[in-house]
Amino acid sequence: MNRNRLNQILSVSAAVLMLAAMMLSGCGKTETSNKTATDASTEMPVTKPEAELGAAAPLPGSASSKTDMSQTETVSFQSGMEVGEIPMPFEVEDVTGPNEGKTLCYRCLYGERPVVGIFVRELGPQTETLIQKIDQEVAAHNDDKLAAFVVLLTENPDEQKSKLKQIASEKKIRHVPLTVYEGTDSPLGYNVKQEAAVNVMLWEGVVKANRAFRTGELDQSGIQEVVEDTRLMVN
């Protein structure tokens, strides 16, 4: 039994306890958001939109003058968590980030910060461009504590590490850790379908938006939609 299967079996029995702990302690985060108490008191509660999963979701509390996520182009393919769900903890091996060589939970490390989670099964030019664009957004929104990480779902993590390092070097990825997760099944609760070549979920405590792409579907338009969702989450 590989580590992924064992982790999922163990995680099922502990899911309810972990969820309660996350809500009380912020998933044991080591980094905190820069929101003030005043900011937190003015946030509106999150509600699930009627749009199908795969469409970008509107951010709560958006000013009427801003274009919200519900007005961006929708994605018909459904994969990943629903808007309003809480991402669960899971461990990955960091290949290129500040914790290179370590196994850790980036979901926990980033805590309540705005996060772009990029789950991929296939690497290629468009996926690499997406990662590069999000890396640029993280750098540009450092003051907003924006964070992101890439999770490569693979049965052969050791064989993929050199490829991830090559991508980080060629694309000058400096702010987005590239990680591996053993097994093509997604982490518990993330519901990344096997047909999804790329599944991007954005969250800030709870999921704000979700976009998924099958093989060959991710193009420049899809990349721009993800970038726009990212900007809306921090603006």
Side-chain angles (χ1 to χ4, degrees):
M1 182 180 296
N2 62 31
R3 180 169 61 83
N4 177 42
R5 302 295 186 189
L6 179 60
N7 284 344
Q8 289 196 351
I9 292 172
L10 294 175
S11 296
V12 168
S13 61
V16 174
L17 293 176
M18 286 193 296
L19 179 58
M22 286 171 58
M23 294 177 67
L24 291 174
S25 63
C27 186
K29 58 183 180 293
T30 59
E31 296 186 22
T32 58
S33 171
N34 67 334
K35 287 183 178 291
T36 63
T38 301
D39 292 334
S41 66
T42 58
E43 289 183 352
M44 296 175 64
V46 176
T47 57
K48 293 184 179 180
E50 297 179 357
E52 292 184 347
L53 175 63
L59 286 175
S62 298
S64 60
S65 61
K66 295 182 180 178
T67 301
D68 63 35
M69 292 185 184
S70 65
Q71 294 174 311
T72 57
E73 182 181 353
T74 60
V75 179
S76 60
F77 175 54
Q78 301 179 15
S79 175
M81 291 181 290
E82 294 186 14
V83 170
E85 287 191 293
I86 300 174
M88 298 294 289
F90 68 99
E91 291 189 337
V92 294
E93 182 178 349
D94 190 331
V95 178
T96 70
N99 296 288
E100 180 177 346
K102 296 180 181 179
T103 298
L104 74 160
C105 173
Y106 269 111
R107 165 65 184 98
C108 300
L109 182 66
Y110 290 151
E112 299 300 309
R113 294 170 60 176
V115 177
V116 182
I118 306 174
F119 298 81
V120 302
R121 290 195 177 92
E122 299 176 9
L123 296 169
Q126 298 288 17
T127 303
E128 294 171 17
T129 298
L130 170 64
I131 296 170
Q132 184 180 45
K133 293 289 187 181
I134 296 303
D135 186 72
Q136 294 168 356
E137 291 301 313
V138 172
H141 294 282
N142 180 63
D143 291 344
D144 299 305
K145 301 296 184 182
L146 178 65
F149 65 111
V150 174
V151 180
L152 177 60
L153 306 173
T154 175
E155 296 290 356
N156 303 295
D158 290 336
E159 295 179 8
Q160 298 295 332
K161 292 177 183 178
S162 60
K163 177 61 175 177
L164 292 178
K165 290 181 179 179
Q166 180 182 356
I167 292 172
S169 176
E170 292 179 352
K171 297 295 183 180
K172 296 180 172 55
I173 307 301
R174 301 287 184 266
H175 310 282
V176 177
L178 308 186
T179 76
V180 290
Y181 182 86
E182 186 177 353
T184 57
D185 291 338
S186 73
L188 179 68
Y190 286 75
N191 304 322
V192 181
K193 289 187 177 179
Q194 287 291 337
E195 297 91 340
V198 179
N199 199 162
V200 184
M201 287 172 262
L202 297 87
W203 63 76
E204 189 173 8
V206 299
V207 175
K208 303 288 188 176
N210 174 12
R211 293 185 181 274
F213 308 88
R214 288 166 291 200
T215 300
E217 288 185 343
L218 181 62
D219 54 16
Q220 291 301 313
S221 176
I223 292 171
Q224 186 58 35
E225 291 291 335
V226 174
V227 170
E228 290 176 2
D229 287 349
T230 302
R231 292 172 180 171
L232 286 168
M233 187 165 62
V234 295
N235 290 330

